[in-house]
């Protein structure tokens, strides 16, 4: 009996393994890439050359396997003749995909091992790859060749591929297979970057940066890492736009179903290894010598030599304004302190901007205009000497501090409510729009000189610069805005600390104004005004400039004291769009997420994505949308309340601003005055605000005025106020699964004759004495469903 049972067990085991060996198994989808050098993997020594196939796996989840078999210099003919195709073909089985992209080397008529005429051999070779892929049960995806970079003398793009892309499109149509038209999409990307900007897509490399290219190289066929990522993004977008099943394996982000390939990417410049130590040019770290000339000489020589690093060793270095140059990395060693001079005479009056308008100001301590490839790096500290520039409000000082401030010198206004460091500073503060150029009227040099001390500069001022790195350093005691890139592109700000006094007026940590493409990551800000601030010009001048701030990733930042943690406005007349903010912490900032504008600004703010924000001890609003912004502190220093004013209807015009399409998820706030305040204008409501998965502990809950298409889903409002939510003159407000504390008088109060379509869904109303209270004139009954 035992032997019989053993025999059955062995037979069952044998049948199980036999069936397993021949049954289809659950395997990862596999993508095989075949093509030439534009797609191929590169070795580290080849840097910066990168094939788009090399970075494509970064865009997919681990649920798909990608094998890159593309090889430099291969054509449809040589890839097969050299046995490279057979290595792929032998592995293929049902469910696999083969991406086929050739064309660059098929054009080489002088090389018989590679040349394949477009209408004959090239066409036949593509068809053969397709048919042999299909014979294995795999799926071919065919790609047109990517563009080379070439512009004519007039700046018009030149296509160098002749009939080859046409043949690819025709073959795809003939066989009814997936086509990704890289030829068309890559041309669009290159043209968008322009004649000069497109150089960073390709291997246009200066001498002395990469070991493989000691003399530099100009190659407009092969990609840098930045260019390769752009091309890989086009492949991913092609899969999505054509509905290819592989789109299901693309990585998604936390931002409202956005794919990873859709997020902005930022180009980072690389600098030569040459180092210029400021001490070699006469700079002295004695705390007395003003080293302006020596430091700027080192920067100029570095630039003239083709670029490199200007090195600031540890020590205390006093200096006036530093003028940056292209291809220069200003590097501060740990222990280095650049102390900017407190002598007004060291700072000439220059034409620049102030709060979004053309203006004369004193030259910034760090200044750069029309530059490319610049950096400020290291672990050192830059001190702006801001205390000699700033006015101080008495209400922001203790009695002892105010007394000591008066003893230090300076002057006060007639009511002794404000202190100024000098008579010139006081005079400028008493003149409306001092230093500004409005309606084409410029102040005279004599006028400017009479209130020069008022014209305090921003600390780091970069205008029309490209490819910027600010990393690791600490900025402190800024005269006004701390970092101000204006009309700049490709900005990388990482692990930067800003420390300004809490009472320092206009001391925003960073103001990105009319800038494109960048990342702000791992920064820590503690300041007297807004923390992370997005702007795009003010009123008519901003609208005329018409350049939005767009395409930024902001993540892993901490903001302590500030008027707002993350802020858009109020100078946003050129618009703001495509901002991605995640994993930030705001502790003690007056407002958490602060979106502000006013009549007269104009401009559109849209496509703003926010996720994973933690806040604590917020004196004002956790989340604020305010189109009726007044230039005053969001939280009064005397502890009084900022009452909402009555807003009267005005006609629409070019100065009417718009806020729309905000997607805010995963918010936690422990302690705020108001959880969510949405305040539009009677003539222009705030539209399409989506807040999901939030827990906010506050005195007041939701206040929603003049808004449309507002959605709160899975939101907990732990309030002290007896009314949890107030909606006034708003349409299509959906409140879905709202949690709140027990014992409230009213859960939802709806007011105003414009209120319509308000819905309260999936919410337990029993914890409140009254679930819904309707004011006079509300158009329709509020829908309430559990």
């Amino acid at each position: 009996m035992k032997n019989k049972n053993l025999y059955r067990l062995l037979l069952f085991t044998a049948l199980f393994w036999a069936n397993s060996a021949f049954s289809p198994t659950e395997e990862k989808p596999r993508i095989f890439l075949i093509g030439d050098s534009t797609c191929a993997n590169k070795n580290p020594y080849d840097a910066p050359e990168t094939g788009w196939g090399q970075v494509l796996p970064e865009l997919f989840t681990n649920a798909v396997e990608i094998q890159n078999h593309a090889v430099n210099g291969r054509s449809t003919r040589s890839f097969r003749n050299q046995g490279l195709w057979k290595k792929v073909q032998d592995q293929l089985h049902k469910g696999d995909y083969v991406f086929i992209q050739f064309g660059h080397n098929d054009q080489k008529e002088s090389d018989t091992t590679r040349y394949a005429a477009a209408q004959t051999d090239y066409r036949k070779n593509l068809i053969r790859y397709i048919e042999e892929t299909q014979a294995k049960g795999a799926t071919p995806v065919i790609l047109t060749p990517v563009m080379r970079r070439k512009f004519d003398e007039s700046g018009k793009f030149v296509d160098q591929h002749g009939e080859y892309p046409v043949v690819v499109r025709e073959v795809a149509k003939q066989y009814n297979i997936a086509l990704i038209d890289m030829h068309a999409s890559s041309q669009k990307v290159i043209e968008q970057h322009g004649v000069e900007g497109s150089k960073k897509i390709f291997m246009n490399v200066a001498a002395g940066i990469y070991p493989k290219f000691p003399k530099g190289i100009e190659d407009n066929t092969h990609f840098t890492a930045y260019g390769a990522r752009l091309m890989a993004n086009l492949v991913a977008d092609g899969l999505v736009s054509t509905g290819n099943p592989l789109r299901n394996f693309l990585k998604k982000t936390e931002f409202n179903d956005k794919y990873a390939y859709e997020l902005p990417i930022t180009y980072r410049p690389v600098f030569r290894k040459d180092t210029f130590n400021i001490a070699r040019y006469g700079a002295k770290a004695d705390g007395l010598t003003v080293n302006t000339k020596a430091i700027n000489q080192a920067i100029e020589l570095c630039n003239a030599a083709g670029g490199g690093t200007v090195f600031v060793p540890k020590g205390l270095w006093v200096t006036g304004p530093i003028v940056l140059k292209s291809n220069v990395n200003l590097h501060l060693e740990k222990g280095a302190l650049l102390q900017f001079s407190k002598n007004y005479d060291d700072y000439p009056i220059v034409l620049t901007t102030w709060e979004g308008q053309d203006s004369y100001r004193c030259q910034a301590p760090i200044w750069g205009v029309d530059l490319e490839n610049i950096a400020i790096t290291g672990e050192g500290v830059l001190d702006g000497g801001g205390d000699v520039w700033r006015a101080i409000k008495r209400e922001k000082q203790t009695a002892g501090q105010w007394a000591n401030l008066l003893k230090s010198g300076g002057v006060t206004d007639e009511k002794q409510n404000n202190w100024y460091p000098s008579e010139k500073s006081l005079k400028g503060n008493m003149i409306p729009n001092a230093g500004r150029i409005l309606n084409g009227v410029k102040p005279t040099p004599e006028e400017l000189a009479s209130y020069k001390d008022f014209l305090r500069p921003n600390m780091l001022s970069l205008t029309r610069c490209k490819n910027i790195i600010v990393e690791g350093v600490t900025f402190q005691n800024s005269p006004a805005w701390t970092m101000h890139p204006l009309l700049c592109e490709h900005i990388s700000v990482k692990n930067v600390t800003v420390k300004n006094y809490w009472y320092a007026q206009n001391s925003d940590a960073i103001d990105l104004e009319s800038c494109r493409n960048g990342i702000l990551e791992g920064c820590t800000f503690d300041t007297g005004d807004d923390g992370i601030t997005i702007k795009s010009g003010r009123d008519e001048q901003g609208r005329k400039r018409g350049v939005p701030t767009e395409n930024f990733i902001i993540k892993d930042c901490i903001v302590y004291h500030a008027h707002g943690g993350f802020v858009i406005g109020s100078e946003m007349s050129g618009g703001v769009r495509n901002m991605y903010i995640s994993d930030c912490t705001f502790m003690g900032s007056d407002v958490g997420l602060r979106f502000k504008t006013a009549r007269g600004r104009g401009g559109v703010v849209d496509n703003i994505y926010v996720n994973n924000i933690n806040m604590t001890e917020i004196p004002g609003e956790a989340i604020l949308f305010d189109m009726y912004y007044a230039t005053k502190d969001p939280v009064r220093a005397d502890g009084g309340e900022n009452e909402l004013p009555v807003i009267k209807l005005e006609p629409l015009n070019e100065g009417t601003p718009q806020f729309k399409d905000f997607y805010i998820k995963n918010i936690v706030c422990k302690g705020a005055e108001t959880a969510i305040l949405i305040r539009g204008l009677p003539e222009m409501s705030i539209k399409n605000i989506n807040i999901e998965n939030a827990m906010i502990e506050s005195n007041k809950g939701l206040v929603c005025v003049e808004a449309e298409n507002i959605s709160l889903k899975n939101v907990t409002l732990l309030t002290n106020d007896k009314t949890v939510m107030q909606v006034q003159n708003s349409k299509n407000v959906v409140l879905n699964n709202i949690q709140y504390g027990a014992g409230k008088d009213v859960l939802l109060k709806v007011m105003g004759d414009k209120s319509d379509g308000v819905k309260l869904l999936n919410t337990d109303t029993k914890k409140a004495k009254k679930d819904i209270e309707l004011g006079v004139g509300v158009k329709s009954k509020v829908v309430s469903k559990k």
Side-chain angles (χ1 to χ4, degrees), residues 378-571:
E379 299 180 68
V381 177
L382 302 97
D383 189 303
D387 45 303
V388 301
W389 297 95
R390 288 189 304 266
I392 297 177
K393 296 179 180 179
R394 182 174 186 172
E395 64 183 11
K396 292 189 175 184
Q397 302 281 287
T398 66
Q401 289 171 332
W402 183 252
N404 288 331
L405 188 61
L406 296 179
K407 291 178 183 177
S408 70
V411 295
T412 60
D413 56 16
E414 290 183 2
K415 295 183 179 180
Q416 293 196 338
N417 289 330
N418 297 283
W419 174 90
Y420 302 92
S422 69
E423 290 284 356
K424 289 185 177 182
S425 175
L426 170 61
K427 180 178 179 180
N429 275 280
M430 297 299 108
I431 298 174
N433 299 311
R436 296 185 198 250
I437 302 172
L438 300 175
N439 300 317
V441 179
K442 299 180 180 180
T444 67
E446 291 75 20
E447 288 174 323
L448 293 170
S450 71
Y451 53 73
K452 178 182 179 182
D453 303 359
F454 163 77
L455 302 174
R456 55 196 171 108
N458 297 328
M459 188 168 176
L460 169 61
S461 176
L462 302 174
T463 304
R464 297 185 302 276
C465 296
K466 298 178 181 179
N467 316 330
I468 301 163
I469 295 175
V470 184
E471 197 164 290
V473 295
T474 295
F475 294 95
Q476 66 181 33
N477 198 15
S478 175
W481 293 353
T482 308
M483 293 179 280
H484 181 214
L486 168 64
L487 293 165
C488 293
E489 298 181 13
H490 292 284
I491 305 163
S492 178
V493 180
K494 295 187 177 184
N495 303 319
V496 170
T497 298
V498 172
K499 298 178 68 175
N500 293 318
Y501 297 116
W502 76 269
Y503 53 80
Q505 298 178 60
N506 308 113
S507 63
D508 301 10
I510 184 167
D511 293 85
L512 297 164
E513 182 176 354
S514 295
C515 293
R516 291 174 172 158
N517 302 318
I519 183 167
L520 180 70
E521 180 179 5
C523 295
T524 302
F525 298 149
D526 192 345
T527 190
D529 210 303
D530 288 327
I532 303 165
T533 317
I534 312 300
K535 299 179 182 289
S536 60
R538 180 172 176 172
D539 299 344
E540 183 181 359
Q541 289 187 23
R543 295 193 299 273
K544 185 177 180 180
R545 180 200 296 164
V547 179
T549 293
E550 59 185 343
N551 307 329
F552 274 83
I553 293 173
I554 296 167
K555 63 180 182 179
D556 298 321
C557 293
I558 296 174
V559 179
Y560 290 98
H561 186 275
H563 282 179
F566 174 76
V567 183
I568 296 178
S570 70
E571 301 90 36

Side-chain angles (χ1 to χ4, degrees), residues 68-276:
N68 190 354
H69 292 265
V71 178
N72 286 15
R74 301 317 188 262
S75 67
T76 57
R77 180 191 300 273
S78 62
F79 193 84
R80 178 183 297 277
N81 291 343
Q82 294 175 10
L84 298 170
W85 170 239
K86 187 177 186 304
K87 292 179 180 178
V88 175
Q89 192 180 18
D90 288 346
Q91 298 184 63
L92 290 180
H93 56 60
K94 185 176 181 180
D96 289 336
Y97 290 81
V98 179
F99 284 22
I100 306 164
Q101 185 188 61
F102 292 99
H104 279 228
N105 299 298
D106 292 78
Q107 293 179 290
K108 298 183 182 298
E109 295 186 40
S110 61
D111 188 344
T112 57
T113 65
R114 293 189 286 181
Y115 177 61
Q119 294 295 349
T120 54
D121 289 344
Y122 181 68
R123 182 186 295 270
K124 292 176 183 177
N125 291 340
L126 290 177
I127 290 173
R128 191 174 172 188
Y129 283 120
I130 291 167
E131 290 180 344
E132 290 174 354
T133 297
Q134 292 176 332
K136 289 280 192 173
T139 302
V141 176
I142 195 165
L143 298 84
T144 52
V146 293
M147 283 289 191
R148 299 182 178 95
R149 176 187 170 275
K150 186 174 182 181
F151 294 87
D152 64 19
E153 292 181 356
S154 64
K156 184 178 179 180
F157 185 82
V158 179
D159 180 358
Q160 302 177 74
H161 283 122
E163 296 180 285
Y164 288 86
V166 176
V167 170
V168 176
R169 297 184 189 108
E170 291 174 350
V171 169
K173 185 176 181 180
Q174 177 185 346
Y175 279 79
N176 193 28
I177 63 171
L179 168 71
I180 299 178
D181 197 346
M182 297 285 285
H183 182 256
S185 58
S186 62
Q187 176 178 342
K188 184 177 181 181
V189 167
I190 294 167
E191 289 181 317
Q192 286 173 341
H193 279 71
V195 176
E196 290 300 316
S198 59
K199 288 181 178 179
K200 59 176 161 281
I201 298 175
F202 295 89
M203 293 274 291
N204 289 274
V205 176
I209 295 178
Y210 295 100
K212 188 175 180 179
F213 309 103
K215 296 182 180 180
I217 187 173
E218 185 175 328
D219 177 347
N220 291 304
T221 298
H222 301 98
F223 303 118
T224 60
Y226 172 73
R229 177 59 188 272
L230 289 176
M231 298 304 132
N233 285 355
L234 296 178
V235 175
D237 189 61
L239 295 174
V240 173
S241 62
T242 60
N244 192 292
L246 288 171
R247 72 187 187 280
N248 297 317
F249 300 98
L250 290 168
K251 286 181 183 175
K252 286 189 175 181
T253 68
E254 66 268 40
F255 299 114
N256 202 51
D257 296 328
K258 285 283 184 180
Y259 290 103
Y261 82 84
E262 295 180 284
L263 298 191
I265 58 173
T266 304
Y267 174 78
R268 283 177 61 90
V270 180
F271 298 88
R272 295 179 63 193
K273 305 300 181 186
D274 295 8
T275 299
F276 295 74

